[in-house]
Amino acid sequence: MNYETGQVHHREEEKADVAAFVRFLEDLLSAYPSGKMALILDNSRIHHAKTLQPFLKKHPRLQLVFLPPYSPNLNPVEGLWLWLKADVVNNVFFEKFYRIKLHVSQFINRINKHPIETIDRLLVRL
């Protein structure tokens, strides 16, 4: 989530591993082709992986900033997940996995059309 614009970037992956995280970082580098980027992250193992270090050295404009452990209240993405669950997943049975993916993508596209609402909902409280 871009804290200045409210734009949410996402990438759907089958597995949350270092390779998937690197692909996400490559997407961000393409979306923001110049300037430094500070990424505020939780303490997931993949964010600290040694195998990530060569990629970060190759892209010094990426700076990873880690939240304190066990601080979901400081992480706006946790609020995004709650919002997504409430709007998309709660009390809904999806017969096929692709239907969940479709609804998640539609949710992200919808909130990206109204970035000020996203900022108001997720960032103002910080």
Side-chain angles (χ1 to χ4, degrees):
M1 179 184 323
N2 183 322
Y3 287 20
E4 291 180 346
T5 67
Q7 202 68 26
V8 174
H9 296 273
H10 83 291
R11 181 182 178 90
E12 294 176 16
E13 293 277 353
E14 293 294 319
K15 188 176 179 184
D17 58 12
V18 175
F21 184 49
V22 166
R23 287 188 291 274
F24 178 72
L25 293 175
E26 289 171 337
D27 288 351
L28 289 179
L29 288 167
S30 293
Y32 301 95
S34 63
K36 292 190 177 208
M37 282 190 284
L39 281 83
I40 311 300
L41 302 167
D42 62 15
N43 286 284
S44 170
R45 266 190 216 161
I46 63 173
H47 299 154
H48 289 282
K50 288 182 183 178
T51 55
L52 180 62
Q53 296 311 308
F55 181 84
L56 294 174
K57 284 183 183 171
K58 185 177 172 185
H59 300 282
R61 66 189 192 97
L62 287 174
Q63 180 184 359
L64 305 187
V65 179
F66 296 98
L67 292 169
Y70 308 107
S71 58
N73 56 316
L74 298 177
N75 189 350
V77 173
E78 296 293 337
L80 177 67
W81 299 144
L82 291 173
W83 185 7
L84 182 137
K85 284 190 230 177
D87 278 22
V88 176
V89 180
N90 282 355
N91 300 316
V92 178
F93 174 73
F94 293 98
E95 197 169 304
K96 302 283 184 183
F97 184 70
Y98 79 89
R99 301 287 297 160
I100 297 172
K101 289 173 62 172
L102 174 65
H103 284 262
V104 168
S105 290
Q106 289 171 340
F107 171 82
I108 297 295
N109 291 336
R110 181 171 38 101
I111 68 169
N112 277 338
K113 288 180 184 170
H114 306 284
I116 298 304
E117 180 184 333
T118 302
I119 289 171
D120 288 348
R121 185 165 181 163
L122 301 175
L123 300 175
V124 171
R125 65 181 173 83
L126 296 175

mmCIF file of all heavy atoms in Angstrom, residues 8-44:
data_model
loop_
_atom_site.group_PDB
_atom_site.id
_atom_site.type_symbol
_atom_site.label_atom_id
_atom_site.label_comp_id
_atom_site.label_asym_id
_atom_site.label_seq_id
_atom_site.Cartn_x
_atom_site.Cartn_y
_atom_site.Cartn_z
ATOM 1 N N VAL A 8 -3.087 0.338 -3.742
ATOM 2 C CA VAL A 8 -2.728 -0.975 -3.203
ATOM 3 C C VAL A 8 -2.177 -1.829 -4.341
ATOM 4 O O VAL A 8 -2.808 -1.974 -5.383
ATOM 5 C CB VAL A 8 -3.950 -1.668 -2.563
ATOM 6 C CG1 VAL A 8 -3.611 -3.082 -2.127
ATOM 7 C CG2 VAL A 8 -4.465 -0.855 -1.389
ATOM 8 N N HIS A 9 -0.991 -2.359 -4.145
ATOM 9 C CA HIS A 9 -0.368 -3.259 -5.119
ATOM 10 C C HIS A 9 -0.461 -4.663 -4.563
ATOM 11 O O HIS A 9 -0.166 -4.894 -3.388
ATOM 12 C CB HIS A 9 1.102 -2.887 -5.340
ATOM 13 C CG HIS A 9 1.269 -1.543 -5.951
ATOM 14 N ND1 HIS A 9 1.261 -1.333 -7.308
ATOM 15 C CD2 HIS A 9 1.403 -0.319 -5.388
ATOM 16 C CE1 HIS A 9 1.401 -0.041 -7.543
ATOM 17 N NE2 HIS A 9 1.490 0.588 -6.396
ATOM 18 N N HIS A 10 -0.857 -5.574 -5.410
ATOM 19 C CA HIS A 10 -0.937 -6.962 -4.956
ATOM 20 C C HIS A 10 -0.494 -7.891 -6.074
ATOM 21 O O HIS A 10 -0.448 -7.507 -7.248
ATOM 22 C CB HIS A 10 -2.345 -7.309 -4.478
ATOM 23 C CG HIS A 10 -3.293 -7.683 -5.568
ATOM 24 N ND1 HIS A 10 -3.765 -6.781 -6.491
ATOM 25 C CD2 HIS A 10 -3.854 -8.871 -5.874
ATOM 26 C CE1 HIS A 10 -4.584 -7.399 -7.317
ATOM 27 N NE2 HIS A 10 -4.650 -8.667 -6.968
ATOM 28 N N ARG A 11 -0.158 -9.074 -5.677
ATOM 29 C CA ARG A 11 0.247 -10.111 -6.620
ATOM 30 C C ARG A 11 -0.264 -11.423 -6.066
ATOM 31 O O ARG A 11 -0.017 -11.734 -4.905
ATOM 32 C CB ARG A 11 1.763 -10.127 -6.749
ATOM 33 C CG ARG A 11 2.271 -11.148 -7.710
ATOM 34 C CD ARG A 11 3.801 -11.150 -7.746
ATOM 35 N NE ARG A 11 4.236 -12.166 -8.648
ATOM 36 C CZ ARG A 11 4.462 -12.005 -9.949
ATOM 37 N NH1 ARG A 11 4.314 -10.813 -10.483
ATOM 38 N NH2 ARG A 11 4.835 -12.996 -10.705
ATOM 39 N N GLU A 12 -0.953 -12.167 -6.872
ATOM 40 C CA GLU A 12 -1.472 -13.456 -6.439
ATOM 41 C C GLU A 12 -0.436 -14.527 -6.720
ATOM 42 O O GLU A 12 0.096 -14.603 -7.819
ATOM 43 C CB GLU A 12 -2.776 -13.770 -7.159
ATOM 44 C CG GLU A 12 -3.878 -12.813 -6.785
ATOM 45 C CD GLU A 12 -5.170 -13.048 -7.553
ATOM 46 O OE1 GLU A 12 -5.325 -14.120 -8.164
ATOM 47 O OE2 GLU A 12 -6.005 -12.146 -7.522
ATOM 48 N N GLU A 13 -0.158 -15.304 -5.716
ATOM 49 C CA GLU A 13 0.827 -16.380 -5.810
ATOM 50 C C GLU A 13 0.257 -17.635 -5.184
ATOM 51 O O GLU A 13 -0.561 -17.561 -4.275
ATOM 52 C CB GLU A 13 2.113 -15.989 -5.064
ATOM 53 C CG GLU A 13 2.882 -14.852 -5.675
ATOM 54 C CD GLU A 13 3.797 -15.288 -6.812
ATOM 55 O OE1 GLU A 13 3.940 -16.510 -7.058
ATOM 56 O OE2 GLU A 13 4.364 -14.391 -7.458
ATOM 57 N N GLU A 14 0.714 -18.771 -5.648
ATOM 58 C CA GLU A 14 0.287 -20.048 -5.069
ATOM 59 C C GLU A 14 0.925 -20.275 -3.704
ATOM 60 O O GLU A 14 0.332 -20.888 -2.834
ATOM 61 C CB GLU A 14 0.660 -21.205 -6.003
ATOM 62 C CG GLU A 14 -0.096 -21.198 -7.319
ATOM 63 C CD GLU A 14 -1.584 -21.447 -7.153
ATOM 64 O OE1 GLU A 14 -1.956 -22.310 -6.329
ATOM 65 O OE2 GLU A 14 -2.370 -20.761 -7.834
ATOM 66 N N LYS A 15 2.138 -19.754 -3.544
ATOM 67 C CA LYS A 15 2.898 -20.013 -2.325
ATOM 68 C C LYS A 15 3.566 -18.717 -1.868
ATOM 69 O O LYS A 15 4.088 -17.968 -2.688
ATOM 70 C CB LYS A 15 3.959 -21.079 -2.628
ATOM 71 C CG LYS A 15 4.707 -21.593 -1.458
ATOM 72 C CD LYS A 15 5.642 -22.713 -1.896
ATOM 73 C CE LYS A 15 6.419 -23.227 -0.722
ATOM 74 N NZ LYS A 15 7.398 -24.231 -1.108
ATOM 75 N N ALA A 16 3.542 -18.467 -0.575
ATOM 76 C CA ALA A 16 4.209 -17.279 -0.025
ATOM 77 C C ALA A 16 5.634 -17.671 0.367
ATOM 78 O O ALA A 16 5.884 -18.147 1.473
ATOM 79 C CB ALA A 16 3.448 -16.748 1.181
ATOM 80 N N ASP A 17 6.554 -17.494 -0.559
ATOM 81 C CA ASP A 17 7.950 -17.809 -0.287
ATOM 82 C C ASP A 17 8.828 -16.664 -0.786
ATOM 83 O O ASP A 17 8.325 -15.659 -1.286
ATOM 84 C CB ASP A 17 8.350 -19.154 -0.914
ATOM 85 C CG ASP A 17 8.145 -19.207 -2.426
ATOM 86 O OD1 ASP A 17 7.899 -18.155 -3.055
ATOM 87 O OD2 ASP A 17 8.235 -20.309 -2.989
ATOM 88 N N VAL A 18 10.129 -16.803 -0.646
ATOM 89 C CA VAL A 18 11.054 -15.731 -1.023
ATOM 90 C C VAL A 18 10.944 -15.423 -2.515
ATOM 91 O O VAL A 18 10.949 -14.252 -2.912
ATOM 92 C CB VAL A 18 12.505 -16.081 -0.632
ATOM 93 C CG1 VAL A 18 13.476 -15.025 -1.134
ATOM 94 C CG2 VAL A 18 12.621 -16.238 0.874
ATOM 95 N N ALA A 19 10.820 -16.445 -3.339
ATOM 96 C CA ALA A 19 10.709 -16.211 -4.783
ATOM 97 C C ALA A 19 9.471 -15.369 -5.106
ATOM 98 O O ALA A 19 9.533 -14.457 -5.935
ATOM 99 C CB ALA A 19 10.667 -17.546 -5.529
ATOM 100 N N ALA A 20 8.366 -15.647 -4.440
ATOM 101 C CA ALA A 20 7.145 -14.867 -4.650
ATOM 102 C C ALA A 20 7.343 -13.429 -4.172
ATOM 103 O O ALA A 20 6.891 -12.482 -4.823
ATOM 104 C CB ALA A 20 5.972 -15.515 -3.927
ATOM 105 N N PHE A 21 8.031 -13.261 -3.047
ATOM 106 C CA PHE A 21 8.294 -11.922 -2.525
ATOM 107 C C PHE A 21 9.183 -11.136 -3.481
ATOM 108 O O PHE A 21 8.947 -9.956 -3.738
ATOM 109 C CB PHE A 21 8.919 -12.019 -1.133
ATOM 110 C CG PHE A 21 9.133 -10.699 -0.462
ATOM 111 C CD1 PHE A 21 8.136 -9.740 -0.393
ATOM 112 C CD2 PHE A 21 10.359 -10.399 0.122
ATOM 113 C CE1 PHE A 21 8.335 -8.519 0.240
ATOM 114 C CE2 PHE A 21 10.575 -9.184 0.755
ATOM 115 C CZ PHE A 21 9.565 -8.240 0.803
ATOM 116 N N VAL A 22 10.176 -11.789 -4.058
ATOM 117 C CA VAL A 22 11.055 -11.132 -5.031
ATOM 118 C C VAL A 22 10.252 -10.700 -6.254
ATOM 119 O O VAL A 22 10.426 -9.583 -6.760
ATOM 120 C CB VAL A 22 12.244 -12.041 -5.421
ATOM 121 C CG1 VAL A 22 12.957 -11.528 -6.665
ATOM 122 C CG2 VAL A 22 13.212 -12.163 -4.255
ATOM 123 N N ARG A 23 9.350 -11.542 -6.722
ATOM 124 C CA ARG A 23 8.508 -11.157 -7.867
ATOM 125 C C ARG A 23 7.652 -9.934 -7.518
ATOM 126 O O ARG A 23 7.468 -9.036 -8.343
ATOM 127 C CB ARG A 23 7.645 -12.335 -8.317
ATOM 128 C CG ARG A 23 8.444 -13.424 -9.035
ATOM 129 C CD ARG A 23 7.556 -14.486 -9.653
ATOM 130 N NE ARG A 23 6.875 -15.319 -8.687
ATOM 131 C CZ ARG A 23 7.379 -16.416 -8.132
ATOM 132 N NH1 ARG A 23 8.605 -16.821 -8.456
ATOM 133 N NH2 ARG A 23 6.674 -17.120 -7.263
ATOM 134 N N PHE A 24 7.148 -9.899 -6.291
ATOM 135 C CA PHE A 24 6.376 -8.735 -5.851
ATOM 136 C C PHE A 24 7.260 -7.489 -5.828
ATOM 137 O O PHE A 24 6.855 -6.419 -6.298
ATOM 138 C CB PHE A 24 5.776 -9.000 -4.467
ATOM 139 C CG PHE A 24 5.011 -7.834 -3.924
ATOM 140 C CD1 PHE A 24 3.785 -7.478 -4.461
ATOM 141 C CD2 PHE A 24 5.518 -7.083 -2.883
ATOM 142 C CE1 PHE A 24 3.073 -6.384 -3.973
ATOM 143 C CE2 PHE A 24 4.818 -5.996 -2.383
ATOM 144 C CZ PHE A 24 3.593 -5.646 -2.934
ATOM 145 N N LEU A 25 8.465 -7.614 -5.308
ATOM 146 C CA LEU A 25 9.389 -6.471 -5.287
ATOM 147 C C LEU A 25 9.731 -6.016 -6.699
ATOM 148 O O LEU A 25 9.821 -4.802 -6.957
ATOM 149 C CB LEU A 25 10.661 -6.835 -4.517
ATOM 150 C CG LEU A 25 10.494 -7.083 -3.020
ATOM 151 C CD1 LEU A 25 11.815 -7.546 -2.410
ATOM 152 C CD2 LEU A 25 9.959 -5.860 -2.303
ATOM 153 N N GLU A 26 9.880 -6.950 -7.614
ATOM 154 C CA GLU A 26 10.131 -6.582 -9.013
ATOM 155 C C GLU A 26 8.938 -5.808 -9.589
ATOM 156 O O GLU A 26 9.129 -4.837 -10.329
ATOM 157 C CB GLU A 26 10.411 -7.835 -9.848
ATOM 158 C CG GLU A 26 11.748 -8.452 -9.545
ATOM 159 C CD GLU A 26 11.967 -9.815 -10.183
ATOM 160 O OE1 GLU A 26 10.984 -10.512 -10.505
ATOM 161 O OE2 GLU A 26 13.152 -10.188 -10.334
ATOM 162 N N ASP A 27 7.733 -6.228 -9.226
ATOM 163 C CA ASP A 27 6.541 -5.480 -9.657
ATOM 164 C C ASP A 27 6.578 -4.050 -9.128
ATOM 165 O O ASP A 27 6.265 -3.102 -9.853
ATOM 166 C CB ASP A 27 5.260 -6.156 -9.154
ATOM 167 C CG ASP A 27 4.939 -7.453 -9.878
ATOM 168 O OD1 ASP A 27 5.601 -7.775 -10.884
ATOM 169 O OD2 ASP A 27 4.003 -8.156 -9.420
ATOM 170 N N LEU A 28 6.952 -3.896 -7.862
ATOM 171 C CA LEU A 28 7.035 -2.554 -7.273
ATOM 172 C C LEU A 28 8.103 -1.710 -7.953
ATOM 173 O O LEU A 28 7.892 -0.522 -8.205
ATOM 174 C CB LEU A 28 7.317 -2.631 -5.776
ATOM 175 C CG LEU A 28 6.187 -3.139 -4.896
ATOM 176 C CD1 LEU A 28 6.635 -3.191 -3.443
ATOM 177 C CD2 LEU A 28 4.949 -2.274 -5.038
ATOM 178 N N LEU A 29 9.243 -2.305 -8.246
ATOM 179 C CA LEU A 29 10.313 -1.575 -8.932
ATOM 180 C C LEU A 29 9.847 -1.107 -10.315
ATOM 181 O O LEU A 29 10.192 -0.014 -10.752
ATOM 182 C CB LEU A 29 11.565 -2.444 -9.044
ATOM 183 C CG LEU A 29 12.322 -2.669 -7.738
ATOM 184 C CD1 LEU A 29 13.338 -3.789 -7.892
ATOM 185 C CD2 LEU A 29 12.994 -1.389 -7.273
ATOM 186 N N SER A 30 9.050 -1.918 -10.979
ATOM 187 C CA SER A 30 8.504 -1.520 -12.284
ATOM 188 C C SER A 30 7.456 -0.424 -12.132
ATOM 189 O O SER A 30 7.396 0.502 -12.937
ATOM 190 C CB SER A 30 7.872 -2.722 -12.986
ATOM 191 O OG SER A 30 8.850 -3.660 -13.334
ATOM 192 N N ALA A 31 6.619 -0.541 -11.103
ATOM 193 C CA ALA A 31 5.563 0.457 -10.878
ATOM 194 C C ALA A 31 6.140 1.818 -10.484
ATOM 195 O O ALA A 31 5.562 2.852 -10.793
ATOM 196 C CB ALA A 31 4.593 -0.035 -9.809
ATOM 197 N N TYR A 32 7.276 1.784 -9.785
ATOM 198 C CA TYR A 32 7.949 3.006 -9.326
ATOM 199 C C TYR A 32 9.389 2.961 -9.839
ATOM 200 O O TYR A 32 10.299 2.562 -9.111
ATOM 201 C CB TYR A 32 7.915 3.096 -7.805
ATOM 202 C CG TYR A 32 6.516 3.091 -7.241
ATOM 203 C CD1 TYR A 32 5.912 1.918 -6.795
ATOM 204 C CD2 TYR A 32 5.777 4.275 -7.176
ATOM 205 C CE1 TYR A 32 4.622 1.914 -6.297
ATOM 206 C CE2 TYR A 32 4.478 4.280 -6.678
ATOM 207 C CZ TYR A 32 3.915 3.093 -6.247
ATOM 208 O OH TYR A 32 2.630 3.097 -5.756
ATOM 209 N N PRO A 33 9.602 3.342 -11.103
ATOM 210 C CA PRO A 33 10.907 3.135 -11.731
ATOM 211 C C PRO A 33 12.048 4.023 -11.235
ATOM 212 O O PRO A 33 13.200 3.759 -11.558
ATOM 213 C CB PRO A 33 10.630 3.396 -13.216
ATOM 214 C CG PRO A 33 9.391 4.201 -13.254
ATOM 215 C CD PRO A 33 8.615 3.879 -12.023
ATOM 216 N N SER A 34 11.746 5.036 -10.441
ATOM 217 C CA SER A 34 12.839 5.884 -9.954
ATOM 218 C C SER A 34 12.593 6.247 -8.500
ATOM 219 O O SER A 34 11.478 6.154 -7.994
ATOM 220 C CB SER A 34 12.953 7.150 -10.800
ATOM 221 O OG SER A 34 11.774 7.914 -10.682
ATOM 222 N N GLY A 35 13.658 6.658 -7.852
ATOM 223 C CA GLY A 35 13.573 7.088 -6.463
ATOM 224 C C GLY A 35 13.694 5.939 -5.483
ATOM 225 O O GLY A 35 13.583 4.772 -5.840
ATOM 226 N N LYS A 36 13.954 6.315 -4.238
ATOM 227 C CA LYS A 36 14.075 5.315 -3.173
ATOM 228 C C LYS A 36 12.693 4.882 -2.709
ATOM 229 O O LYS A 36 11.736 5.647 -2.769
ATOM 230 C CB LYS A 36 14.862 5.875 -2.003
ATOM 231 C CG LYS A 36 16.301 6.110 -2.345
ATOM 232 C CD LYS A 36 17.114 6.420 -1.127
ATOM 233 C CE LYS A 36 18.557 6.569 -1.563
ATOM 234 N NZ LYS A 36 19.465 6.235 -0.510
ATOM 235 N N MET A 37 12.625 3.651 -2.243
ATOM 236 C CA MET A 37 11.379 3.109 -1.708
ATOM 237 C C MET A 37 11.648 2.497 -0.343
ATOM 238 O O MET A 37 12.559 1.685 -0.204
ATOM 239 C CB MET A 37 10.813 2.017 -2.615
ATOM 240 C CG MET A 37 10.120 2.516 -3.832
ATOM 241 S SD MET A 37 9.238 1.197 -4.678
ATOM 242 C CE MET A 37 10.578 0.353 -5.472
ATOM 243 N N ALA A 38 10.861 2.903 0.624
ATOM 244 C CA ALA A 38 10.905 2.285 1.948
ATOM 245 C C ALA A 38 9.680 1.394 2.064
ATOM 246 O O ALA A 38 8.555 1.859 1.904
ATOM 247 C CB ALA A 38 10.904 3.344 3.041
ATOM 248 N N LEU A 39 9.911 0.128 2.295
ATOM 249 C CA LEU A 39 8.820 -0.818 2.458
ATOM 250 C C LEU A 39 8.684 -1.142 3.934
ATOM 251 O O LEU A 39 9.653 -1.595 4.563
ATOM 252 C CB LEU A 39 9.083 -2.102 1.672
ATOM 253 C CG LEU A 39 8.806 -2.002 0.183
ATOM 254 C CD1 LEU A 39 9.979 -1.389 -0.536
ATOM 255 C CD2 LEU A 39 8.502 -3.357 -0.361
ATOM 256 N N ILE A 40 7.506 -0.899 4.480
ATOM 257 C CA ILE A 40 7.235 -1.192 5.877
ATOM 258 C C ILE A 40 6.682 -2.610 5.922
ATOM 259 O O ILE A 40 5.643 -2.897 5.315
ATOM 260 C CB ILE A 40 6.215 -0.197 6.478
ATOM 261 C CG1 ILE A 40 6.597 1.245 6.154
ATOM 262 C CG2 ILE A 40 6.055 -0.444 7.973
ATOM 263 C CD1 ILE A 40 7.942 1.692 6.659
ATOM 264 N N LEU A 41 7.369 -3.484 6.631
ATOM 265 C CA LEU A 41 7.039 -4.914 6.600
ATOM 266 C C LEU A 41 6.872 -5.483 7.994
ATOM 267 O O LEU A 41 7.450 -4.980 8.958
ATOM 268 C CB LEU A 41 8.158 -5.685 5.892
ATOM 269 C CG LEU A 41 8.468 -5.263 4.456
ATOM 270 C CD1 LEU A 41 9.773 -5.881 4.011
ATOM 271 C CD2 LEU A 41 7.342 -5.668 3.530
ATOM 272 N N ASP A 42 6.112 -6.570 8.060
ATOM 273 C CA ASP A 42 6.060 -7.330 9.310
ATOM 274 C C ASP A 42 7.302 -8.216 9.353
ATOM 275 O O ASP A 42 8.183 -8.117 8.507
ATOM 276 C CB ASP A 42 4.754 -8.129 9.413
ATOM 277 C CG ASP A 42 4.596 -9.174 8.308
ATOM 278 O OD1 ASP A 42 5.586 -9.502 7.614
ATOM 279 O OD2 ASP A 42 3.474 -9.659 8.142
ATOM 280 N N ASN A 43 7.379 -9.080 10.301
ATOM 281 C CA ASN A 43 8.586 -9.877 10.495
ATOM 282 C C ASN A 43 8.464 -11.299 9.962
ATOM 283 O O ASN A 43 9.018 -12.229 10.528
ATOM 284 C CB ASN A 43 8.966 -9.877 11.975
ATOM 285 C CG ASN A 43 9.554 -8.550 12.363
ATOM 286 O OD1 ASN A 43 10.693 -8.262 12.051
ATOM 287 N ND2 ASN A 43 8.757 -7.700 13.008
ATOM 288 N N SER A 44 7.761 -11.436 8.862
ATOM 289 C CA SER A 44 7.650 -12.732 8.215
ATOM 290 C C SER A 44 9.045 -13.248 7.857
ATOM 291 O O SER A 44 9.944 -12.473 7.526
ATOM 292 C CB SER A 44 6.806 -12.587 6.943
ATOM 293 O OG SER A 44 6.863 -13.754 6.178
#
